[in-house]
Amino acid sequence: MKATLDSRNSAHTPDLEVRHRTISIDGVRIFYREAGPANAPVVLLPHGYPSSSFQFRNFMPALADRWRLLAPDYPGFGYSDTPAGFAYGFDGYADLLDRFARALGLGRYALYLHDYGSQIGLRLAIEAPERVAALILQNGDIYEDELGPKYETLKAYWANPTPEGRKKMYEAVSEEGFRHEFVGEIDERLVERIPPDLWKLSWPLMTEERRDIMVGLMEGLKDNLAWFPRYQAYLRERRPPTLIVWGPQDGYMPEGAARAYLRDLPDAELHLLDGGHWALETNLPEIVALSRDFLGRVHA
């Protein structure tokens, strides 16, 4: 008798798949990705620039057997709305992330902090420290003395914000500028691991309105420096369990920016990877293994 495959009884597990959803928060349509059981410990994933929740597309299903993972697109990014009157800055995004977490009933969560997501997620952590079960830090800068050489252009503009300087930043918000963000600093042998989808799919979503928002965020990084001591104080005083996974091939956030966290988190676990700013693309298996081990001990 021939065996037949009944798809209803196969190894198919919906919880391991990434679901693509939207939610309205104060009338703003927010797109988000979700994976994992609804009753599992939560991992909240605020994204970086110039990406969106797309950057977590492979990480999420790799942990979804034990954790519930949620990654929203900020307004002005990815598939979320770009509403007029929204506070397009790190404070506004942190407030949005807080409202997103509340709308989904997330009482406690681990935070995966990367790039802009570090600034946004740490603001949320300061506002509601009781909700933070753990941190995973990956190429996010909060130590001014360890900012990498790529900050020099921004610093020059902050010191002398001319129209010509702003035009250069505006020109960097381009398809080629996006490509450079993803592959411009890593070893050539790693470039082939970076899918062109990261910039080819992001660029068509970049309207002129959104380009203005992106430039405004770059300008806002100057004021963001004033938050660095507050982030450090939060880490030093609260000492959340922390895993640091870092790609040192990063002109904004080199190896020193990773080691600096140990000043305030001496018990943190630090792992320097053979990669750069977008280590989830080049070092995914390592980060997944380290994250599973870490979260299994502190947020299970």
Side-chain angles (χ1 to χ4, degrees):
M1 182 176 182
K2 288 186 177 181
T4 59
L5 177 63
D6 185 344
S7 62
R8 294 171 298 178
N9 297 318
S10 70
H12 173 72
T13 307
D15 282 339
L16 299 183
E17 298 174 346
V18 177
R19 282 93 68 192
H20 305 89
R21 294 173 167 164
T22 60
I23 186 172
S24 178
I25 298 181
D26 295 338
V28 179
R29 178 181 172 277
I30 299 298
F31 172 89
Y32 67 100
R33 301 169 199 260
E34 179 173 1
N39 60 350
V42 173
V43 181
L44 189 55
L45 304 112
H47 66 79
Y49 168 87
S51 194
S52 64
S53 60
F54 182 73
Q55 75 177 77
F56 297 113
R57 70 200 179 283
N58 296 321
F59 181 77
M60 295 174 71
L63 275 74
D65 60 322
R66 293 184 61 185
W67 292 276
R68 180 187 182 193
L69 300 103
L70 293 147
D73 289 353
Y74 315 136
F77 283 83
Y79 299 122
S80 288
D81 284 347
T82 308
F86 183 82
Y88 291 103
F90 298 108
D91 286 342
Y93 285 137
D95 179 64
L96 183 282
L97 187 62
D98 176 50
R99 285 181 286 152
F100 174 80
R102 291 178 184 276
L104 290 176
L106 310 182
R108 190 162 171 80
Y109 39 74
L111 284 165
Y112 189 112
L113 303 180
H114 171 255
D115 194 83
Y116 282 0
S118 299
Q119 318 303 324
I120 295 162
L122 283 173
R123 278 168 161 80
L124 176 61
I126 289 171
E127 185 66 26
E130 72 284 354
R131 293 193 231 156
V132 179
L135 301 177
I136 299 175
L137 302 173
Q138 191 248 301
N139 294 72
D141 49 334
I142 68 166
Y143 294 90
E144 188 171 357
D145 61 319
E146 292 292 348
L147 297 179
K150 284 190 72 174
Y151 264 99
E152 294 307 315
T153 300
L154 285 172
K155 289 178 180 178
Y157 175 76
W158 295 339
N160 184 28
T162 64
E164 293 77 13
R166 194 175 197 278
K167 181 180 178 182
K168 287 182 180 179
M169 287 199 299
Y170 198 87
E171 291 170 349
V173 185
S174 62
E175 183 176 342
E176 183 56 31
F178 284 5
R179 180 184 181 279
H180 183 77
E181 291 288 336
F182 290 110
V183 302
E185 300 173 305
I186 57 175
D187 291 344
E188 188 62 31
R189 60 187 170 76
L190 297 175
V191 171
E192 64 182 13
R193 300 187 197 175
I194 306 286
D197 312 37
L198 286 163
W199 60 91
K200 288 290 187 181
L201 297 181
S202 293
W203 176 242
L205 299 174
M206 192 55 55
T207 62
E208 289 301 302
E209 182 182 8
R210 287 187 168 195
R211 289 182 81 184
D212 286 336
I213 292 167
M214 300 306 117
V215 172
L217 288 170
M218 294 179 197
E219 293 174 316
L221 285 170
K222 177 183 179 181
D223 295 333
N224 192 57
L225 297 178
W227 276 83
F228 283 11
R230 298 179 64 178
Y231 299 151
Q232 296 159 20
Y234 160 77
L235 297 176
R236 187 167 56 250
E237 294 163 8
R238 289 286 179 169
R239 296 287 182 92
T242 301
L243 170 68
I244 305 170
V245 286
W246 208 274
Q249 297 176 36
D250 187 338
Y252 286 113
M253 305 155 206
E255 180 177 330
R259 294 191 180 279
Y261 279 96
L262 299 179
R263 302 172 191 173
D264 300 303
L265 292 169
D267 297 326
E269 303 173 29
L270 171 62
H271 299 268
L272 298 173
L273 310 174
D274 180 20
H277 191 77
W278 298 94
L280 279 178
E281 303 297 333
T282 57
N283 304 82
L284 179 69
E286 295 167 88
I287 295 177
V288 166
L290 291 167
S291 298
R292 289 183 65 88
D293 174 69
F294 171 70
L295 292 172
R297 287 183 279 116
V298 304
H299 188 48

